[in-house]
Amino acid sequence: MALLEVRDLTVSFDTPDGVVHAVNGISFDLDPGETLGLVGESGSGKTQTALALIGLLAENGKVSGSVRFRGQELLGMSTSELSRVRGSKISMIFQDPISSLNPYMTIGDQLVEVLTHHRNLRRREARARAEEMLHQVHLNDPGQRMRQYPHELSGGMCQRVMIAMGLLCQPDLLIADEPTTALDVTVQSQINTLMGELSEQSSTAILLITHDLGVVAGLCHRVLVMYAGQEMEMAGVDDLFADPRHPYTEGLLNSVPRLDRARSGILNAIPGNPPNLLDVPAGCPFSSRCRYAFDRCRERPGFEALGEGRFKRCHLDALPAAREEVG
Ligand SMILES: Nc1ncnc2c1ncn2[C@@H]1O[C@H](COP(=O)(O)OP(=O)(O)OP(=O)(O)O)[C@@H](O)[C@H]1O
Ligand code: SF4
Ligand SMILES: [Mg+2]
């Protein structure tokens, strides 16, 4: 049994303008110790997928489908049951550290509370463990940081505190939403290494949401590419980079700046914009931007298994052949 089994997850929001279809039937599994990257342009539904998994959607959000964690259904669980699972077995690191930390408690007290509450550690042990964790996320002078309040720290430091908090309990599942975006490149790579080590040492599964395909290449075992709230492609990381099977994945990979392209000055961004989620087109959601679109793309393609753990949602028989034809 997989650690996490997500089936047909759907998230919509009631708004004055109509219903926003943010996530439209996503399914995936996550095994212990595995890191799955969730990628896609802004607005593709990555964050709402993550929030739906752990019952933290905004009030106007509705969720359906199934989310099983160690076989236990999370959707529809009571708030108190969910918060117990969330704190000890599932951690989430959000993009915005400032609003996720309690402004009225010192960093130390917040970290210690997590450990005394969820791990039954005594305060002294918890303080030592918390300080050690701050050291591991490369926060200088951890003893001093423990005594400070969030507003006394920079945004980057708060982000590292959030990461330390997420890793403290050695959760079974860590959901990290752009965890290092606010940090400078050197610290980003240190934190990514730390997450990789954690996942190896304690079999923590990681759902990593990121725009950075370099981080995906370095950290993830598998990748799920999302567009307009739907899965476009899922594959092992090496397969996806070497041989993308979906035109949207190809577009994302081509839009990554590379040294050989930088010289020519060409930035290969995917032309056009994602569809309006108030009115998602009936056929392939990518068709208005796809250079390979043909008649059949007016019908919605299924998420087809290609063997060897690969899936794609596209009517093309083979992308390389289509590429040659289009030129
Ligand atoms: N409370 C809400 N009410 C209405 N629409 C919402 C709400 N929360 C999110 N959305 C919409 O859901 C869609 C998916 O948002 P989501 O935050 O999951 O995108 P994302 O892939 O995480 O993007 P980014 O990379 O910019 O973080 C967006 O169109 C967003 O505007
Ligand atoms: S289904 Fe058609 S429009 Fe959609 S990605 Fe494939 S070729 Fe392009
Ligand atoms: Mg997001």
Side-chain angles (χ1 to χ4, degrees):
M1 189 191 3
L3 177 73
L4 182 73
E5 293 170 326
V6 178
R7 294 291 175 271
D8 207 16
L9 184 72
T10 301
V11 177
S12 61
F13 294 101
D14 283 329
T15 75
D17 297 327
V19 178
V20 172
H21 299 278
V23 181
N24 298 300
I26 293 280
S27 301
F28 62 88
D29 285 351
L30 196 52
D31 285 328
E34 188 183 32
T35 298
L36 175 70
L38 203 51
V39 301
E41 287 165 296
S42 189
S44 55
K46 305 179 299 292
T47 296
Q48 302 314 315
T49 298
L51 293 175
L53 296 181
I54 51 172
L56 290 178
L57 283 181
E59 275 196 358
N60 62 335
K62 276 200 202 109
V63 59
S64 67
S66 164
V67 176
R68 286 182 173 272
F69 178 71
R70 295 197 173 288
Q72 194 180 17
E73 180 62 54
L74 297 188
L75 295 191
M77 246 188 194
S78 73
T79 320
S80 61
E81 276 177 309
L82 250 184
S83 67
R84 208 172 312 133
V85 176
R86 265 201 314 256
S88 61
K89 301 194 180 108
I90 304 179
S91 287
M92 181 147 181
I93 304 172
F94 295 96
Q95 201 168 345
D96 174 13
I98 308 289
S99 59
S100 317
L101 291 169
N102 182 340
Y104 304 110
M105 277 171 83
T106 62
I107 302 298
D109 284 347
Q110 295 188 52
L111 294 173
V112 165
E113 188 180 80
V114 171
L115 286 168
T116 49
H117 191 68
H118 293 297
R119 279 287 176 270
N120 287 329
L121 290 189
R122 287 161 201 245
R123 277 194 75 80
R124 238 176 114 172
E125 275 173 286
R127 277 203 88 78
R129 168 110 184 88
E131 208 171 310
E132 167 58 26
M133 204 66 225
L134 291 182
H135 181 71
Q136 281 191 31
V137 295
H138 302 278
L139 207 57
N140 65 351
D141 201 353
Q144 163 76 0
R145 304 291 166 232
M146 294 275 286
R147 291 187 289 277
Q148 289 180 308
Y149 289 87
H151 73 266
E152 297 177 81
L153 270 57
S154 70
M157 286 174 171
C158 285
Q159 187 64 2
R160 273 176 273 178
V161 171
M162 274 302 299
I163 292 165
M165 201 177 272
L167 305 184
L168 258 186
C169 286
Q170 299 187 313
D172 294 336
L173 171 63
L174 175 69
I175 300 174
D177 190 355
E178 303 277 3
T180 58
T181 309
L183 304 175
D184 72 54
V185 177
T186 322
V187 180
Q188 278 190 18
S189 98
Q190 288 165 346
I191 301 284
N192 288 329
T193 308
L194 181 69
M195 287 201 296
E197 283 166 6
L198 172 94
S199 127
E200 250 171 50
Q201 285 161 11
S202 45
S203 293
T204 294
I206 303 179
L207 181 64
L208 179 69
I209 298 174
T210 179
H211 279 102
D212 190 333
L213 291 173
V215 172
V216 170
L219 213 60
C220 297
H221 302 108
R222 280 189 304 136
V223 189
L224 175 57
V225 180
M226 282 183 76
Y227 184 76
Q230 299 175 31
E231 312 108 320
M232 295 291 112
E233 180 162 7
M234 183 152 61
V237 69
D238 295 337
D239 289 340
L240 190 99
F241 279 82
D243 175 24
R245 300 283 173 88
H246 194 285
Y248 181 58
T249 314
E250 180 185 66
L252 285 181
L253 294 175
N254 282 340
S255 61
V256 176
R258 276 190 354 208
L259 285 177
D260 52 344
R261 287 204 203 102
R263 223 180 315 154
S264 69
I266 301 168
L267 232 181
N268 293 312
I270 305 171
N273 292 303
N276 180 353
L277 296 178
L278 286 163
D279 188 17
V280 182
C284 170
F286 189 56
S287 58
S288 67
R289 304 170 75 188
C290 180
R291 58 202 288 251
Y292 310 109
F294 59 113
D295 288 352
R296 223 178 125 200
C297 306
R298 279 195 284 264
E299 294 160 29
R300 186 183 177 203
F303 198 46
E304 180 197 352
L306 307 172
E308 294 174 2
R310 300 198 66 162
F311 296 81
K312 71 163 187 195
R313 189 187 292 287
C314 174
H315 290 306
L316 285 179
D317 287 333
L319 183 54
R323 203 180 290 140
E324 240 164 60
E325 224 168 83
V326 171

